Amino acid sequence: MITLYAFKALPAFAVGLARDLRIRWALEEAGLPYQMHLVTPEEVNSPGYRALQPFGQIPAIEEDGFRLFESGSIILHIGERSDALIPRDPAAKARAITWIFAAVNTIEPAIRPLLMLDLFHTGEEWAKAQRSNAEATIKKRLNELAVALGDRAYLEGSFTAGDLVMTTVLRMLRHTDLVEAEPRLQAHLKRCEARPAFQRALVGHMAVYEPA
Ligand SMILES: N[C@@H](CCC(=O)N[C@@H](CS)C(=O)NCC(=O)O)C(=O)O
């Protein structure tokens, strides 16, 4: 059975966003059973955990002594075991993988500066001055993504791990109206979030972090 490592506690802003959610979702789509290991702050700094995740981050997985970190890589690994995530056809597979990279390497870096300003420097004068630039960068990328999506239901027509990772990245903007401003992206986000596998993953994630 796969063990998925996630933090034992999260700050409020990360509940519903932390990257264990994307792994849970992939595992639910793939129909693979898994168990959670919740990592305490002390354990994060232990040599044992660092051997699993060198940067002391989550997520990581372990299965029969095989260990993997980096959410994109974990999604690829799980995706290899499920046509629902990574198609078998080589060209379709390459396109699905490309969207995973686009999510973590093009869209997420565009979003990150705004997140830093909004979550960690709220109200600070210098942050207010930088916010419109940060927003403009995101708007440009989201518009480009919406054009690429066009009228298709999913980035490649049918759902792949690329849609999954893109959705988890776009969710990072939930405190803004930037995704809503692109109706096709908003519809894609809602379509992906409506998938039963996402809903099961979210319920499992929230059960860990929601106050009792
Ligand atoms: N590139 C990594 C990023 C992992 C990451 O940033 N995880 C966050 C939680 S969602 C974390 O562990 N933050 C604490 C830290 O960076 O020390 C991945 O995709 O797995």
Side-chain angles (χ1 to χ4, degrees), residues 7 17-19 22 53 55-59 70-72 112:
F7 287 139
L17 289 184
R19 290 170 178 82
R22 62 179 65 163
Q53 215 301 355
F55 309 109
Q57 297 178 316
I58 64 93
E70 278 297 329
S71 60
R112 187 167 278 273

Side-chain angles (χ1 to χ4, degrees), residues 67-128:
R67 301 163 143 198
L68 208 54
F69 64 100
E70 278 297 329
S71 60
S73 177
I74 296 170
I75 298 275
L76 287 175
H77 178 70
I78 296 166
E80 289 289 345
R81 289 153 72 168
S82 166
D83 292 0
L85 291 170
I86 307 275
R88 295 289 157 257
D89 170 71
K93 175 177 177 174
R95 295 284 304 176
I97 291 172
T98 297
W99 283 116
I100 296 175
F101 276 89
V104 297
N105 206 29
T106 299
I107 302 298
E108 189 177 329
I111 290 175
R112 187 167 278 273
L114 187 76
L115 277 191
M116 293 297 128
L117 296 176
D118 288 357
L119 300 180
F120 300 117
H121 302 284
T122 325
E124 293 177 35
E125 283 311 312
W126 69 270
K128 283 187 205 163

Side-chain angles (χ1 to χ4, degrees), residues 2-163:
I2 293 175
T3 300
L4 169 59
Y5 290 76
F7 287 139
K8 193 171 178 62
L10 286 177
F13 72 80
V15 173
L17 289 184
R19 290 170 178 82
D20 57 283
L21 179 61
R22 62 179 65 163
I23 310 302
R24 279 182 183 269
W25 184 5
L27 289 164
E28 295 285 352
E29 291 282 355
L32 293 172
Y34 59 99
Q35 61 191 5
M36 298 302 297
H37 179 118
L38 300 178
V39 187
T40 61
E42 299 74 42
E43 190 181 359
V44 162
N45 292 314
S46 69
Y49 190 69
R50 292 294 169 137
L52 176 63
Q53 215 301 355
F55 309 109
Q57 297 178 316
I58 64 93
I61 62 163
E62 196 164 18
E63 185 182 24
D64 297 330
F66 172 72
R67 301 163 143 198
L68 208 54
F69 64 100
E70 278 297 329
S71 60
S73 177
I74 296 170
I75 298 275
L76 287 175
H77 178 70
I78 296 166
E80 289 289 345
R81 289 153 72 168
S82 166
D83 292 0
L85 291 170
I86 307 275
R88 295 289 157 257
D89 170 71
K93 175 177 177 174
R95 295 284 304 176
I97 291 172
T98 297
W99 283 116
I100 296 175
F101 276 89
V104 297
N105 206 29
T106 299
I107 302 298
E108 189 177 329
I111 290 175
R112 187 167 278 273
L114 187 76
L115 277 191
M116 293 297 128
L117 296 176
D118 288 357
L119 300 180
F120 300 117
H121 302 284
T122 325
E124 293 177 35
E125 283 311 312
W126 69 270
K128 283 187 205 163
Q130 290 192 10
R131 203 175 183 285
S132 64
N133 271 349
E135 255 196 23
T137 302
I138 298 172
K139 281 182 184 162
K140 175 177 182 294
R141 287 291 178 235
L142 293 190
N143 179 256
E144 289 162 341
L145 181 61
V147 170
L149 173 66
D151 293 325
R152 290 190 300 278
Y154 297 105
L155 290 162
E156 287 297 313
S158 51
F159 180 81
T160 74
D163 298 286

